[in-house]
Amino acid sequence: MVAATIEKDRQYIWHPYTQMKTAPTPLNIVRGEGAVLYDEKGQAYIDAVSSWWVNLHGHSHPYIAEKIYEQLRTLEHVIFAGFTHPPAVEISERLLAILPDNQSRTFFSDNGSTAVEVGLKMAIQYFHNRGQKRGRLIAFNGAYHGDTFGTMSAGGSPGFHSPFADYLFEVEHIPAPEPGQEEAAFNAMASILAKGDVAAFLYEPLVQGAAGMRMHKPAALNRLLGLCKEAGVLCIADEVMTGFGRTGRLFASNHMEHQPDLMCLSKGLTGGTLPLAITTCTEAIYDAFLSDDNSKAFYHGHSFTANPVGCAAALASMDLLLKESCQERIASISQQHLAFCRDVAGHPRVGEARSQGTILALEFKTEEGTGYFSNIRQKLYPFFLERGAVLRPLGNVIYLIPPYCISDEQLSSLYGMMKEALERF
């Protein structure tokens, strides 16, 4: 049975972000419980990256599973144009209650890329509906916002999207305000804003994920947001990864005084159980689409918009997230990450050890190149798998974004593996 599954995978399936000619045989995962995944032989693997940053509360969580089951027995789906349903209304009400105060409307889609795509389209049409010629967009160097054409255009990772370069629209990129780069970021932002035709600034707040978990300080980002606010430019926070507690607060935007005009959410929204995304916006943006002229409506949608089962999963995940025990666990993981960073900071193979909330990144000094395509990844990934951990390096950067249910013992084990890797490679 096991051999048949792998053989049929090879025969039928094309995996994401994978060079299929040279890729090793994929692991056949048959079960998950808590922070652990199990293959067909019963081998356990700590899911140190929350299965691509989506899982908040652990695999096969019984409470979320029960709520999904209850919803499936009531209503599995209904078209969301001209119809509504209780789970969509409830998740909207409860989500807006914990988001920054200026957020007042929700728009549903399917995943992180579409959540950001929606935000970009809303921002551009907002000015179009108001009769203002503003179409310029600003994003960070190294940004990753998804793989649809709009999000690829906004991305600053040419290695991912170079085959499509001729088909992407122009976006102005500025340095992220990492320590030592703040003034360069401020000056670049001011120079572009002076052109007077900027519609929106799209950013990953505090942590740039695919860029290698690059981090910047709240004060620096807050200053950039302030410059945009002064220029009447809309701010779009891509909180697909950073939302729902990852940075130590419910949302990364909570670390700043200036708040975004639009927020893009997915990944942890359902606790990692089902695809669902939400883009939120201010009432002023929503009002710009209200008109007797139908052409000013927002003509965007997805077949599974506001899927009731996904909404039920999101409600269950929020129940768990807001429990005091979960918030305490987030704080504990954050403190343990900080202690580990201090512990390894002086190691000769460490380029930098950094953390923000429950996100930890360890940058290797290596002669095999840096960045996403560093060859050291080909050694590090199997090294951790052999020791029972799923750590998917971003080139020469290994990182942890664990489910909040991870135990102190499991965390300690992961830290030990990372120290061993420093001595080995």
Side-chain angles (χ1 to χ4, degrees), residues 188-218:
M189 176 67 86
S191 176
I192 298 170
L193 291 176
K195 299 175 182 179
D197 60 350
V198 177
F201 168 43
L202 172 63
Y203 58 97
E204 298 163 272
L206 304 187
V207 184
Q208 291 186 276
M213 300 298 162
R214 306 302 307 175
M215 300 180 185
H216 48 268
K217 299 296 184 183

Side-chain angles (χ1 to χ4, degrees), residues 209-276:
M213 300 298 162
R214 306 302 307 175
M215 300 180 185
H216 48 268
K217 299 296 184 183
L221 178 56
N222 193 62
R223 181 170 169 184
L224 290 175
L225 296 177
L227 292 173
C228 289
K229 298 289 185 180
E230 292 173 5
V233 169
L234 298 180
C235 298
I236 308 173
D238 177 353
E239 294 237 25
V240 171
M241 180 190 73
T242 57
F244 304 101
R246 291 298 191 192
T247 65
R249 298 189 182 183
L250 285 177
F251 299 95
S253 295
N254 295 143
H255 292 271
M256 273 74 69
E257 177 185 356
H258 292 298
Q259 294 303 311
D261 301 284
L262 301 105
M263 297 181 70
C264 309
L265 308 167
S266 190
K267 290 194 182 291
L269 176 60
T270 66
T273 57
L274 289 169
L276 188 71

